[in-house]
Amino acid sequence: MNKFQRALFSKTCASVFAVLAALAPLFFYASRSNQHVFLDIALFPGFSQMLFWLIAANAVVATAWAALAFKKRDLFDSHPGAMTAAYAITDFFTAVFCILNIVLLISGGEETAPVVLRGAAGLAPYALLYFAIVFFALFFPEIKHKIARVAIVSLVGVALVLGAVLTVYSPAVYGFVSDPMVLDTGSDYSIVFATTDEGTGFVEYEYEGETYRVYDQKQGKIESDSRVHSVRVPYEHLDNNSYTVGSMQVYEPYAYGSRSGKTIVSEEYAFTPCDGETQTWLCVSDWHTRNDLAKDAIAFLGDYDGVILLGDASPDLGTEDELVRYLVEFGGDLGGGTMPIVYTRGNHETRGAYAPYLADALGLDEFYFEVKAGDYRFVVLDSGEDKEDSHPEYGGLADFGAYRAENVDWVETLTEDGKTIALCHSPRFFIEEDLTDRTIAALTGIKTSAALTGHWHYCDLDTETYPGLPVFIDGGHKDGAFVASRVTLSPGGIALFACDDGGAAMMDETLPWLN
Ligand SMILES: [Fe+2]
C-alpha cells in the first residue's frame, strides 16, 4: 500500500466519510420544500427524488466501507486496486453530496437557511437511530472492556428513557410567544396569539356588565391542535375596552377526555381603535424573516395608532412555526395587543404546506375585504401569486387565476364611501392585465385616493402608471437594509413618510384626498 491508500483505508478517514455520507441525505431532505424544485426545473421532473435515494444509498455504502476498515483490513492487502477504486468513488460522491448540500443552503439565502437548518434538526432523531444501529451491529461487539460496555449500555438506556419522556411531555415551559395581534377582519376583530406549544385559545373581557370568555372553536368544539389561536370579537365589545387572552396546554386531545397541562392567562391589554380625525398607521412590507431589522427602521418612525402589514413575512409557510415566528410574533410585537392591525397577504404567504390554513389560523374569512377606520376606509386586495398558476414552482398546487377574478368581482361591487385607500401587496395588483384594468377602473370609480403596496423591496411613489391612482411602494428588506413607513391620515391629506434602519428619510410626500 502506498501513502495515499494508507490514508484512504485508515479507520479515521473511513469513519469521517461514513458520518458525512450518513448526514448528507438528512440535510438534502431538509431542503426539499424550498430548493428541490429548482433542481428538477434545471434537469428533469423527479430528478431530486432520484438524487435523494442515490445519496441515501451512498450513505449505506460508506458505512459498509467503514466497517471493512475496522474489521477486514486484510482485504486492503489482498485487493488494493479494487479497494482503492471503491473507497475513492464513494468518498468522491460523499464530497459532492456535501458540497451540493452547502450550495443548496447558501443559494436559499439568509431567510431560507434557518428554515432548512431547523428542518434538519427535526430529522436528527433519525440520524441518531441510524448511528446507534450501525454502532451496536458492527462496533459494539468489538469492545472487550466490561466497564466500557456497561457504561455505553447505561448511557443508551438513559437516553432512551429521556427520549420517551420528552416525546410524551414537552420540555418547554408553556407560555405566550408575544403580545396578541388584533386583526381587523372587515366585520369584527380577530385576536390572534401564539403559544410555545399546542393548546386551546380564549379571550376574556367584560362588556356592559357581563363577563365573556370566547374560545377559538369550530361549531362548539374547542381547537387544541395548534400553537396559533384566533378568537373573533365584535367591534363594540373590544373598542376602548380591556381584555386578556388565555390558553390551556393540550398534550393530546382524546376522543374521550384529554391529556392537558396548565392554563395560562396574559396580562390585561387596553385596546384603542383607530377612529380619530388624524390617524397614524405604521406600514411594513416584505420583512422576509428580518423581524429585528424591520424593528430598527420602525424605531425611527415614532408613535402610531394602528399597523398595516403589507405581506411577505417569510419565504413561505412550510410549517406553523414559520407563521408563529414571522407573522404572529412580529405583528404582536408591533401592535402590542392594544391597536388594530390590517393584514394584506403577500405572495410568499401563499407558498408552503401550511399556506392553505393561513386564513383559518388568523381568523379571517377572506384576504380581500374593506375596513372602516373612523372617516377613512381601506379596501384590502389580495394579489395572490406573482406567476402563472402553471409555473413549475407551484407543483400543480395553484389556482390563483380564478381566485383573483373573485377578488375583482368583489371590488366592482363596492360603492363610493368616503376617503378610501387601497391596500395590495403587489404594486401591479394582479398578474392578469385585464383584471388589473378592471380593478383600477373600480378603485378610481369609488374615488380611491391612493394605493399602499409592497413587493418590490424599495420605497417609491408611482403617480404615472395608473392615472388618478397614486401607488405608494412601502419598502421592506433589501441587501441587509430595511425601509419602513408611516402613513398619517387627516382631513388635509395622506402624509407618507418612510425611513431606513439607519433613520435616513426615504420619502416625505403628502397626497390629497379625492373626496
Ligand atoms: Fe412579494
Side-chain angles (χ1 to χ4, degrees), residues 160-204:
L160 284 174
V161 171
L162 204 63
V165 170
L166 291 179
T167 303
V168 178
Y169 296 100
S170 167
V173 176
Y174 196 55
F176 298 106
V177 171
S178 67
D179 293 326
M181 292 202 291
V182 182
L183 290 183
D184 195 322
T185 71
S187 48
D188 53 17
Y189 293 119
S190 174
I191 301 177
V192 186
F193 59 101
T195 43
T196 52
D197 207 344
E198 294 178 357
T200 68
F202 57 86
V203 171
E204 286 185 307

Side-chain angles (χ1 to χ4, degrees), residues 69-115:
F70 278 86
K71 290 168 171 284
K72 296 278 183 188
R73 295 207 62 82
D74 52 325
L75 275 174
F76 303 125
D77 296 320
S78 57
H79 302 85
M83 296 306 286
T84 301
Y87 273 62
I89 290 169
T90 307
D91 291 355
F92 170 76
F93 277 112
T94 300
V96 168
F97 295 149
C98 287
I99 291 167
L100 173 66
N101 277 326
I102 292 168
V103 168
L104 288 176
L105 196 64
I106 293 171
S107 65
E110 57 187 317
E111 59 187 75
T112 296
V115 175

